[in-house]
Amino acid sequence: MENYRHSVEVTVWRDGKILAVNNRRWGSFSCPGGTVDGAESMEDAARRELLEETGCTALTIKYLGGKPHTS
């Protein structure tokens, strides 16, 4: 696949609520996430994106699945 990039999306839920961020690119709310940089692991990318976009740190990361995405 040409233009294939690994990316992550972080779903944070607590007390029955899901954390969302204002996504200015799409003009709506979404879960924190973004592309994996270089040799960064998926878990490290998820932790970095969550921290960058919310200021929060994750205690636990659990892989839920994936799918191909082209840009």
Side-chain angles (χ1 to χ4, degrees):
M1 289 178 141
E2 195 171 319
N3 296 328
Y4 179 78
R5 299 179 303 164
H6 288 281
S7 62
V8 295
E9 183 172 89
V10 182
T11 304
V12 177
W13 62 90
R14 184 174 176 175
D15 300 329
K17 297 177 183 175
I18 294 177
L19 176 66
V21 295
N22 185 8
N23 189 319
R24 288 175 270 168
R25 180 178 179 187
W26 297 322
S28 63
F29 289 93
S30 65
C31 291
T35 58
V36 177
D37 293 339
E40 183 178 43
S41 72
M42 299 287 273
E43 182 175 331
D44 287 344
R47 289 181 185 282
R48 177 183 50 77
E49 289 290 347
L50 179 63
L51 182 61
E52 285 177 1
E53 295 184 18
T54 69
C56 297
T57 56
L59 298 177
T60 305
I61 298 274
K62 181 178 181 181
Y63 179 75
L64 298 177
K67 66 177 185 172
H69 174 76
T70 57
S71 53

